[in-house]
């Protein structure tokens, strides 16, 4: 029978590796950091929002809105979430708080919805009171619907102009991205009540949807505001190669599928053109594809050398990408967290000044990056 001393030594050696693993230090070119797990047990979390009281709201693609309070995931989801079609890539997607949330309690949810005519992307507005969504109203619905279960997009931002910008993917039917009478493959601009601003770039075209702000976008799953210029930056999935980073500008056609740096998943060409007059070039692209999702500019104080860098999550390549910028020019690129082996769905600057991540898995996690000593 082993002695108490030998048992204690065995226990100590078992505990030490676990403790070291919990404090794994990740080295960037410009920073040293660890990854803190805030919450786990989420079913394919998609987006996160930070409430004024310091708690967080997280969407699960299965159709639940969860609350993290005081660092703990609450058991009961928020009541009153709209009916969601969690099929294929569809489900409950983005969440965005109104800039004056403290006063009006308004938030916005994007999600996939299904009926007899097929599936589509919707946006609903509601008031959050206690643990309930009240006065929920659908303020945007992309038309026409489709039977496909792909490329719903769904990212949202509200810049300084006070309008809501929402992305809609091409629904896996690429030619729709160049059809101006179709809501697919685009960024849309609406008021918070769901009305169409009079100065939308295609509002005077008889053949165009009035809410269109851009066209030729394949599937934008990252969108954020530049902290200094207020510009809307985005990235979108390419097919096999050709993921893009773009600045979203009124009336711009981003070219999909008439121009692309990618090819079909089968290996066959989509087009032999990467440039075309009247269509925008990306600021940056990846080939092979990293399957980008989520993006944020770093504006915190923990990592001074990261100030102004753009961070992008990767699903397929399972990493966090840091892009160094000089204005709109990408001057450097670094891959981080390649050893986590986790699909990164969302990248968000938290109200606490930390960079927060969501991992896309059946047992998805909420993570944040915290500084460590080199």
């Amino acid at each position: 029978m082993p002695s108490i001393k030998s048992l204690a030594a065995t226990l100590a050696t078992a505990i030490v590796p676990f403790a070291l693993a919990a404090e794994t230090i990740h080295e960037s070119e410009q920073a040293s950091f660890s990854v803190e797990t805030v919450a786990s047990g989420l079913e394919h979390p998609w987006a996160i929002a930070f409430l004024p009281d310091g708690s967080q709201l997280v969407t699960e693609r299965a159709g639940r809105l969860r609350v993290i309070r005081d660092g703990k995931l609450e058991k009961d989801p928020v009541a009153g979430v709209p009916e969601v079609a969690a099929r294929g890539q569809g489900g409950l997607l983005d969440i965005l708080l109104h800039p004056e949330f403290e006063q009006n309690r308004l938030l916005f949810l994007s999600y996939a919805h299904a009926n007899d005519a097929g599936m589509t992307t919707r946006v609903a507005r509601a008031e959050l009171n206690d643990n309930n969504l009240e006065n929920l109203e659908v303020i945007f619905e992309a038309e026409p619907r489709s039977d496909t279960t792909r490329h719903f997009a769904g990212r949202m931002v509200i810049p300084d102009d006070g309008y809501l910008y929402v992305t809609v993917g091409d629904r896996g039917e690429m030619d729709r991205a160049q059809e101006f009478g179709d809501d697919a493959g685009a960024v849309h601009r609406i008021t918070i009540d769901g009305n169409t601003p009079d100065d939308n770039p295609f509002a005077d075209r008889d053949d165009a949807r009035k809410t269109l702000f851009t066209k030729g976008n394949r599937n934008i799953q990252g969108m954020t505001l530049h902290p200094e210029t207020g510009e809307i930056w985005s990235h979108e999935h390419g097919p096999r190669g050709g993921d893009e980073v773009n600045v979203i500008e009124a009336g711009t056609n981003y070219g999909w599928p008439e121009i692309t740096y990618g090819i079909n998943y089968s290996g066959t060409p989509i087009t032999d053109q990467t440039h075309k007059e009247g269509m925008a070039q990306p600021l940056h692209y990846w080939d092979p594809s990293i399957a980008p999702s989520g993006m944020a500019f770093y504006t915190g104080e923990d990592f001074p050398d990261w100030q102004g860098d753009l961070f992008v999550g990767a699903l397929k390549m399972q990493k966090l990408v840091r892009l160094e910028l000089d204005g709109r020019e990408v001057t450097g690129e670094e891959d981080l967290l390649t050893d986590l082996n986790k699909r990164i769905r969302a990248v968000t600057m938290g109200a606490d000044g930390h960079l927060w991540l969501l991992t896309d898995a059946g047992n998805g996690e909420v993570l944040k990056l915290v500084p460590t000593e080199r």
Side-chain angles (χ1 to χ4, degrees), residues 4-65:
I4 292 176
K5 186 175 181 180
S6 64
L7 283 173
T10 301
L11 182 59
T13 57
I15 290 174
V16 169
F18 177 80
L20 290 174
E23 297 296 330
T24 299
I25 295 175
H26 300 269
E27 295 288 348
S28 163
E29 292 173 1
Q30 298 176 332
S32 177
F33 62 95
S34 61
V35 179
E36 178 182 317
T37 301
V38 178
S40 59
L42 291 144
E43 186 176 357
H44 296 285
W46 213 90
I48 187 169
F50 297 85
L51 295 172
D53 66 2
S55 56
Q56 297 85 39
L57 295 173
V58 180
T59 61
E60 291 179 298
R61 193 156 51 82
R64 291 178 294 271
L65 181 59

Side-chain angles (χ1 to χ4, degrees), residues 225-227 296-302 306-309 349-350 353 355:
L225 301 176
H226 193 286
F297 286 96
Y298 182 77
T299 58
E301 299 179 356
D302 289 335
W306 284 358
Q307 280 282 342
D309 290 352
M349 272 304 302
L355 199 64

Side-chain angles (χ1 to χ4, degrees), residues 118-171:
M119 297 181 69
T120 194
T121 305
R122 273 184 170 182
V123 175
R125 183 189 66 191
E127 297 174 21
L128 178 66
N129 292 306
D130 296 324
N131 208 43
N132 298 284
L133 294 183
E134 300 175 350
N135 301 317
L136 187 138
E137 180 183 1
V138 176
I139 62 170
F140 175 80
E141 179 174 304
E143 296 179 342
R145 290 174 178 258
S146 170
D147 290 332
T148 69
T149 59
R150 305 186 301 280
H151 298 184
F152 293 93
R155 291 295 181 190
M156 301 181 291
V157 294
I158 299 178
D160 289 342
D161 64 9
Y163 294 120
L164 175 65
Y165 293 71
V166 57
T167 69
V168 179
D170 69 0
R171 300 301 320 289

